[in-house]
């Protein structure tokens, strides 16, 4: 795989995970104030497009959505699926060459 593409992919992952983490922070902040909330669909979408680690960190750090089975099971399941897909793609392409 081209290292330029790989670099941009990691930048994308960092950005989407930061956004997912911040969505968790904002939703928790709004929940404490009884304000408008971020839709659960939006939180799951942020995990599905690559932000599952950021969302999991937000859930753990801020104890947010930890009583919802859909989140405590769903977000780790999304992460496992993403890691499995990444592992398969790496195996299929014969590894990653960083040089």
């Amino acid at each position: 795989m081209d290292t330029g593409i790989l670099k941009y992919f990691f930048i994308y992952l960092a950005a989407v995970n930061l956004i997912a983490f911040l969505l968790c922070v904002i939703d928790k902040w709004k929940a404490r104030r009884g304000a408008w909330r971020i839709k659960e669909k939006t939180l799951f979408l942020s995990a599905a497009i690559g932000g599952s680690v950021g969302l999991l960190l937000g859930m753990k750090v801020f104890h947010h959505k930890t009583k919802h089975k859909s989140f405590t099971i769903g977000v780790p399941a999304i992460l496992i699926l993403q890691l499995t897909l990444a592992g398969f793609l790496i195996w299929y392409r014969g590894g990653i060459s960083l040089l």
Side-chain angles (χ1 to χ4, degrees):
M1 182 178 266
D2 183 19
T3 57
I5 293 172
L6 198 57
K7 179 178 85 171
Y8 288 116
F9 179 68
F10 285 125
I11 291 170
Y12 167 79
L13 281 179
V16 76
N17 276 286
L18 178 63
I19 290 167
F21 183 83
L22 291 175
L23 284 173
C24 208
V25 171
I26 292 166
D27 195 45
K28 181 67 173 191
W29 182 79
K30 289 180 177 244
R32 288 183 176 164
R33 284 156 183 73
W36 163 87
R37 304 284 302 278
I38 295 172
K39 293 180 180 179
E40 290 184 355
K41 193 183 301 186
T42 303
L43 295 172
F44 272 115
L45 180 62
S46 71
I49 64 171
S52 52
V53 172
L55 190 59
L56 274 173
L57 278 172
M59 287 171 59
K60 296 288 183 190
V61 171
F62 298 102
H63 305 286
H64 189 55
K65 301 286 187 187
T66 55
K67 293 182 181 178
H68 293 77
K69 289 229 186 276
S70 61
F71 278 87
T72 58
I73 294 171
V75 177
I78 290 170
L79 177 58
I80 290 168
L81 194 67
Q82 290 168 337
L83 292 173
T84 302
L85 178 61
F88 172 76
L89 290 174
I90 291 168
W91 169 80
Y92 183 75
R93 295 197 34 91
I96 294 178
S97 175
L98 297 177
L99 298 176

